[in-house]
Amino acid sequence: MQASHTAPTPRIGGVAVMAGMLVGAGIAFLQGQPLYLILLLTSLPMYATGLAEDLFRHISTRVRYASTALSALLAVWILGIWITTADSYVLEWLFYFMPAAILVTLFVVASYCHAFNLIDGLNGLASGTGILIAAGLAAIGAQIGHAEIITMSVITAVSIAGFFLFNYPFGRIFLGDGGAYIIGYMLTWTALVILHVAPETSTWAMFLLFFWPLADTLFAIYRRRRKGVSIDTADRLHFHQLVLRGLEIFFLGRNKRTVANPLATSVILPFVTAPVIAGVAFWDKPLISFLALAFFGVAFVATYRLGLAAAQGRLRRPRRRWPRNMSPAE
């Protein structure tokens, strides 16, 4: 996506990320850990569609979403892994029916892939978020004592980090849809594998790790529904865009986008980190994880609304006019 830039930039950073993942997957396979390679192979329909959008454009959102669901279905069929619990008495009954549980799994995977694409609007934001989530997954993998999960998380983090060095702070290359999708896909499936091999892991804790793309996407859907437009209609009201414009309005002034862009990422990433830390700390505590998720959700919405109100108030404030021959300092 990466809308907050000022010069034409290649959108094929996902090729580099995929290349790094393939190298890591090959090494892991030779060491007797095939899961990462299998997941990468199942991702090919989704990745090819995303890359086609980066290169040729005009691939509809529905086609890209369907290809992501197809990749997820291949993974479910090959691995026999899907979501089996919601850590909720209200929704638990749904997962007793395998077809329903598989449909929910496809929806979760596809939605998170597209959520990563939605937050790809600043240099380093989507990739930085991906690295933080991968670190959180590795930490949970260490706590449950599962070496392959640690390997998977490290491969993802290192592959993203190679791209991050060229994307942040100056945005020499962008992830594109293919890059955002493959990051979201591998991270989401790593989380699903954790839930499968360690049932004591809280589903709410996983949501905490993925909080930022989840919150931004849900709030975008809410905004668009409230306006009466399609949920796939693009807008410039994402949280990261609000922070970017706030920096320009209050501190930097206009025509400072090259500074405001990476600075906005630096402002946001600590807020991305906080729920990840909570998810790791409360990985096996469903109630506390749920309460933490609710807290961060309320904080996200409240911060967004306060920031939007402050920015609108500043823009509407009439400027004081001075005589032509007099400066404000006089």
Side-chain angles (χ1 to χ4, degrees):
M1 197 172 179
Q2 199 75 30
S4 301
H5 62 283
T6 57
T9 305
R11 289 164 42 92
I12 55 172
V15 174
V17 174
M18 174 61 100
M21 288 179 172
L22 284 171
V23 171
I27 295 173
F29 181 81
L30 294 175
Q31 295 178 345
Q33 296 180 345
L35 190 53
Y36 201 86
L37 181 58
I38 293 172
L39 286 171
L40 275 183
L41 293 176
T42 65
S43 77
L44 291 179
M46 171 203 69
Y47 180 74
T49 306
L51 186 59
E53 166 66 11
D54 296 329
L55 295 175
F56 310 112
R57 307 297 180 91
H58 307 304
I59 307 296
S60 72
T61 302
R62 292 184 178 179
V63 170
R64 284 178 277 144
Y65 196 92
S67 68
T68 308
L70 174 60
S71 287
L73 182 61
L74 289 174
V76 168
W77 176 56
I78 294 172
L79 299 177
I81 295 176
W82 55 83
I83 300 172
T84 58
T85 180
D87 279 341
S88 168
Y89 294 111
V90 178
L91 298 174
E92 198 67 25
W93 61 272
L94 182 64
F95 295 92
Y96 295 151
F97 304 98
M98 185 177 71
I102 291 175
L103 285 175
V104 171
T105 302
L106 303 185
F107 173 76
V108 168
V109 175
S111 297
Y112 264 119
C113 291
H114 285 264
F116 268 89
N117 197 33
L118 286 181
I119 66 169
D120 184 27
L122 296 175
N123 297 342
L125 180 58
S127 52
T129 300
I131 292 170
L132 289 169
I133 294 173
L137 292 169
I140 294 177
Q143 293 186 76
I144 65 177
H146 199 288
E148 191 162 12
I149 288 172
I150 298 173
T151 299
M152 293 169 64
S153 303
V154 170
I155 292 172
T156 301
V158 171
S159 300
I160 301 172
F163 163 82
F164 183 87
L165 295 176
F166 290 91
N167 177 247
Y168 183 86
F170 300 116
R172 297 185 180 94
I173 191 170
F174 295 153
L175 271 177
D177 289 29
Y181 292 162
I182 193 61
I183 290 174
Y185 188 83
M186 299 307 294
L187 289 174
T188 304
W189 268 109
T190 303
L192 295 181
V193 172
I194 290 175
L195 292 173
H196 178 75
V197 301
E200 68 273 22
T201 306
S202 169
T203 305
W204 301 116
M206 291 294 108
F207 281 128
L208 278 170
L209 263 65
F210 290 80
F211 172 80
W212 197 262
L214 171 67
D216 188 72
T217 300
L218 290 179
F219 203 57
I221 293 172
Y222 166 76
R223 283 196 316 269
R224 293 163 189 176
R225 283 298 189 190
R226 190 174 181 183
K227 291 181 178 179
V229 300
S230 174
I231 61 174
D232 61 355
T233 302
D235 64 26
R236 292 177 176 268
L237 292 172
H238 290 281
F239 195 103
H240 58 268
Q241 292 166 326
L242 177 64
V243 173
L244 176 71
R245 290 172 186 169
L247 289 172
E248 292 176 331
I249 292 169
F250 289 100
F251 302 105
L252 301 175
R254 295 181 178 180
N255 302 319
K256 299 290 185 180
R257 187 59 55 91
T258 55
V259 176
N261 187 311
L263 184 58
T265 297
S266 299
V267 170
I268 294 172
L269 284 181
F271 294 94
V272 178
T273 305
V276 172
I277 293 174
V280 173
F282 307 132
W283 70 277
D284 60 345
K285 297 176 175 60
L287 179 58
I288 300 177
S289 295
F290 174 78
L291 294 175
L293 186 65
F295 168 79
F296 285 115
V298 171
F300 180 93
V301 174
T303 303
Y304 182 94
R305 291 190 179 279
L306 287 172
L308 184 61
Q312 290 175 339
R314 181 63 175 264
L315 290 173
R316 291 171 183 169
R317 187 182 305 166
R319 296 181 180 179
R320 184 176 178 182
R321 295 186 177 181
W322 302 90
R324 290 183 179 180
N325 61 348
M326 182 183 295
S327 71
E330 296 174 323

